[in-house]
Amino acid sequence: MVVYNPFSPETAHNPFPVYKQLRDETPVYHNEEVGFWALSRYEDVVAAHLDTDTFSSAHGVTIEGYDQGSPLLITKDPPEHTAHRKIAARMFTPRRMSQLEPFVRATAADLLERVRDQDRFDLVQDFSFRLPLDVISELIGIPADRRAEVHELSDRLAARDEDMSGTDDVIQAMADLLSLFTELVRERRRHPGQDVITMLMNTEVEDSDGGGPRSLGDDELATRFMELAFAGHETVAKLIPNGVIALSWYPDQRRELVADPALISNAVEEMLRWDPPSHYQGRWTLREVELHGAVIRQDVRVILITGAAGHDERKYPDPEYFNIHREVDRHVSFGLGRHLCLGASLARLETRVAFEELLKRFPDFTFDETGVQRHYSGNVRGLASLPLLVERTAAV
Ligand code: HEM
């Protein structure tokens, strides 16, 4: 019998064997003890993401559902979601993203130059969380002296223990983040800047209830601020180390990327498929669902395991193999449909530039397995520390 508990350290360390069991033996899985159902096959995960009439986000997107009723965009259903998403999407225009590339590159280069002469550095602490945090801070205007605090609170917001304790701390971290951002919004009202929050302050929005155009209040702005700061750095910070592990395990492919950096864009898609930062998205059933001979009742928690969908052999041949040449069409690591990740193009840009700059300076590396530390979390999976060992002889 398959037992799947995403909170067990063994599963956090390597969920892929149990994902295979789920897909093959119990594609509609029920964990009575923790209290959730799970879909793991690619086709089922895609269909559920697209069916927002059946699978609601409003009860939160984690298993615990601490985030239900929160003001976050990710936990809203239409029509409220549609109106808020339209507002947030204004920050991610293709033009704005392409304008950001020089800043992303300069930031990545600066961080890597600081460790250039070291034979060993911590990829996470010295690079992978700093890069997206600096970029999202630049985009939305978080001052440099508040960024460490934002990172610490975001980590606490995502963290979970094995027994799922830590509820009070998670709620406290969200409250502290919101009050920090409310303070920043008020500050920005006094001193407008060039960032997107100032732009949003000056924008009128149409309400979903047809109430006509109005400007956003401080609370709404602080919420947009908070969700972008959180989603904008916790995820990319985890994807870069996962990609570094892949390229340490597959040195031939790393050498190919060093020789031809144009391959890095596709390698990023493969990194997203192979070990994404977000392995599942929680939903709540608004009606009964019958699938593969099983019945999922109305009003229960279902998780859509995108991490398992990306390894479904029904979709991807030889899925455990990391392959920078794989055609990764329509992977689900950014979700799909209405809640499709708003920051996907920014995440792709940051990760591509991160690897371009990293491989240019450090074409040969391994990592110290004894120093690897995992960040135990709900639906964000990744490392808190990854000691990178640089091969000096081959370095350019
Ligand atoms: C590798 C990096 C990233 C991954 C893997 C990722 C993954 C995801 C996923 C799976 C969802 C859908 C959640 C659901 O359906 O419940 C999502 C939504 C979202 N993401 Fe990302 N994300 C990444 C980076 C970013 C960045 C950089 C930003 C912002 C700067 C961002 C902002 C958002 C927002 C605002 C949503 C909510 C969209 C909505 O509900 O309409 N993400 N992301």
Side-chain angles (χ1 to χ4, degrees):
M1 198 184 76
V2 188
V3 178
Y4 166 63
N5 179 355
F7 300 103
S8 89
E10 201 188 12
T11 302
H13 179 67
N14 180 9
F16 297 104
V18 72
Y19 285 171
K20 179 162 173 49
Q21 281 184 299
L22 288 174
R23 287 189 307 266
D24 290 348
E25 297 168 33
T26 325
V28 178
Y29 174 77
H30 186 202
N31 185 322
E32 248 185 272
E33 200 188 330
V34 183
F36 68 91
W37 294 73
L39 305 182
S40 49
R41 287 191 186 167
Y42 178 86
E43 291 299 339
D44 299 337
V45 168
V46 166
H49 263 291
L50 296 175
D51 183 1
T52 48
D53 289 342
T54 306
F55 295 96
S56 159
S57 296
H59 287 245
V61 294
T62 58
I63 288 181
E64 317 86 287
Y66 296 153
D67 47 344
Q68 65 182 292
S70 83
L72 302 178
L73 181 64
I74 210 167
T75 62
K76 297 205 178 299
D77 285 341
E80 209 189 346
H81 173 263
T82 318
H84 284 279
R85 182 170 168 111
K86 224 161 133 186
I87 300 164
R90 291 182 192 195
M91 302 179 215
F92 296 95
T93 58
R95 187 155 160 263
R96 200 184 289 280
M97 291 305 104
S98 67
Q99 283 172 342
L100 263 181
E101 178 157 349
F103 180 80
V104 176
R105 191 171 301 283
T107 307
D110 177 47
L111 291 169
L112 292 170
E113 282 302 316
R114 290 186 209 178
V115 293
R116 186 166 181 137
D117 297 330
Q118 294 173 213
D119 293 336
R120 175 192 177 111
F121 64 92
D122 189 332
L123 185 91
V124 179
Q125 297 303 325
D126 294 330
F127 184 56
S128 81
F129 96 75
R130 287 174 192 272
L131 174 66
L133 183 57
D134 274 351
V135 173
I136 196 70
S137 301
E138 180 73 12
L139 183 68
I140 62 182
I142 303 172
D145 60 352
R146 308 303 296 267
R147 293 179 193 174
E149 209 179 330
V150 169
H151 177 64
E152 194 253 330
L153 289 170
S154 302
D155 255 4
R156 278 173 43 202
L157 183 61
R160 302 288 183 277
D161 289 337
E162 190 185 349
D163 60 0
M164 290 194 283
S165 63
T167 328
D168 289 349
D169 195 50
V170 169
I171 292 165
Q172 190 58 50
M174 187 180 296
D176 290 350
L177 265 176
L178 262 180
S179 79
L180 187 155
F181 288 125
T182 308
E183 198 190 308
L184 292 180
V185 166
R186 290 188 181 141
E187 168 66 21
R188 200 56 41 79
R189 286 216 192 269
R190 287 192 295 271
H191 305 287
Q194 297 296 317
D195 48 76
V196 291
I197 294 296
T198 306
M199 183 267 288
L200 286 188
M201 277 174 187
N202 299 322
T203 306
E204 295 221 306
V205 297
E206 287 288 336
D207 245 337
S208 54
D209 59 12
R214 63 174 181 88
S215 38
L216 293 170
D218 286 3
D219 290 355
E220 288 173 297
L221 283 165
T223 303
R224 295 289 83 84
F225 220 149
M226 178 180 84
E227 72 193 352
L228 291 175
F230 176 79
H233 91 280
E234 278 289 337
T235 45
V236 176
K238 307 280 186 292
L239 180 64
I240 296 172
N242 291 354
V244 162
I245 289 179
L247 297 181
S248 302
W249 286 355
Y250 296 90
D252 289 352
Q253 297 190 45
R254 187 179 69 230
R255 283 189 272 276
E256 273 193 76
L257 296 181
V258 172
D260 184 2
L263 296 172
I264 293 177
S265 288
N266 198 63
V268 171
E269 298 308 305
E270 176 67 345
M271 288 169 193
L272 282 158
R273 179 201 71 83
W274 192 70
D275 196 357
S278 169
H279 269 229
Y280 62 82
Q281 289 80 55
R283 295 292 188 263
W284 189 262
T285 50
L286 297 181
R287 62 172 182 85
E288 191 176 280
V289 179
E290 212 184 322
L291 189 64
H292 303 300
V295 175
I296 308 176
R297 287 191 331 273
Q298 183 181 331
D299 289 328
V300 293
R301 168 87 49 210
V302 180
I303 61 168
L304 316 178
I305 316 180
T306 38
H311 282 237
D312 189 345
E313 35 292 277
R314 293 155 196 82
K315 169 76 179 167
Y316 301 108
D318 204 2
E320 307 306 329
Y321 178 61
F322 177 81
N323 177 5
I324 56 169
H325 300 290
R326 189 189 294 274
E327 281 180 35
V328 193
D329 71 312
R330 209 196 197 199
H331 65 65
V332 281
S333 300
F334 283 126
L336 212 59
R338 287 185 190 280
H339 291 278
L340 177 71
C341 177
L342 261 181
S345 55
L346 179 58
R348 287 183 161 115
L349 167 69
E350 289 174 347
T351 315
R352 171 175 61 74
V353 171
F355 278 93
E356 284 166 2
E357 296 301 316
L358 184 77
L359 292 171
K360 196 158 54 176
R361 288 172 181 76
F362 307 109
D364 246 326
F365 54 73
T366 53
F367 62 92
D368 172 7
E369 288 198 25
T370 61
V372 174
Q373 280 170 31
R374 187 154 286 286
H375 173 226
Y376 288 98
S377 152
N379 54 356
V380 177
R381 178 187 137 77
L383 301 180
S385 179
L386 179 66
L388 202 75
L389 307 175
V390 177
E391 289 289 334
R392 269 304 139 198
T393 45
V396 285

